Amino acid sequence: TVTGATQGAMYGFRATARCVLGSDIATSSVGPEVTRTMAVTAPSSLTISAAMSGTNADGTAAGGTCSAGTTIERQIRYHSTSTATDGTWSSWVSGTTRTIGALQGHKYTFQQQARCVGTSASSAWTASSTAATVRAINAPGAPSVSASTNGDTTTFTRSNVVCPTGTT
């Protein structure tokens, strides 16, 4: 019996057996050592948040707890899109935050996955829900219009309006 076992720790067990007749030991033997690793429970209640910070989209992973003797390991991924269709997920990157240079008019969606890590074993990865933020589109400069008249004809000319990259 193991009392107070720690998740993710490995324990070795060995049995000894002997036969006794009165005060004499008739036989004595030691069995082979058997090792067992305590299972690790995955974290729950993971949270993710997303926000704009200047021209960057920031994802922040939080929540989740692990049992005593284990530590939490987190990874974050994201995808971006400029339409209603989601983009392709990036690879997972270790850490609690991820900062992406954001394009105007794009939505950035973040997700975390986490697991509890012990000295000899780890839990399965578990994923959070997702959170998204959108970088606003800056308004173009005010257009200017000029007019020129030649005889009976007046021609109006609008200056070019420049929109941010990726917008029209």
Side-chain angles (χ1 to χ4, degrees):
T1 301
V2 177
T3 303
T6 301
Q7 289 189 14
M10 182 182 296
Y11 294 90
F13 301 91
R14 186 178 301 256
T16 301
R18 63 184 178 175
C19 297
V20 179
L21 178 61
S23 62
D24 296 328
I25 298 174
T27 60
S28 178
S29 64
V30 177
E33 183 176 69
V34 176
T35 59
R36 293 289 182 259
T37 301
M38 298 301 292
V40 179
T41 304
S44 59
S45 303
L46 299 174
T47 61
I48 188 81
S49 61
M52 287 302 303
S53 176
T55 60
N56 293 324
D58 294 328
T60 304
T65 57
C66 291
S67 298
T70 63
T71 57
I72 195 162
E73 179 181 352
R74 300 177 197 274
Q75 295 181 336
I76 300 178
R77 67 179 180 172
Y78 79 97
H79 64 79
S80 68
T81 183
S82 60
T83 64
T85 304
D86 287 337
T88 302
W89 284 106
S90 69
S91 59
W92 291 102
V93 173
S94 293
T96 57
T97 60
R98 186 132 186 211
T99 299
I100 306 300
L103 297 173
Q104 293 181 44
H106 281 64
K107 176 177 80 169
Y108 292 83
T109 304
F110 293 88
Q111 183 179 38
Q112 81 157 303
Q113 69 174 3
R115 68 180 178 173
C116 294
V117 179
T119 57
S120 297
S122 299
S123 70
W125 288 101
T126 186
S128 69
S129 58
T130 61
T133 187
V134 176
R135 180 170 175 196
I137 300 173
N138 294 341
S144 62
V145 178
S146 60
S148 62
T149 304
N150 186 4
D152 295 4
T153 305
T154 300
T155 303
F156 295 92
T157 306
R158 173 191 49 86
S159 64
N160 288 336
V161 174
V162 178
C163 289
T165 302
T167 65
T168 57

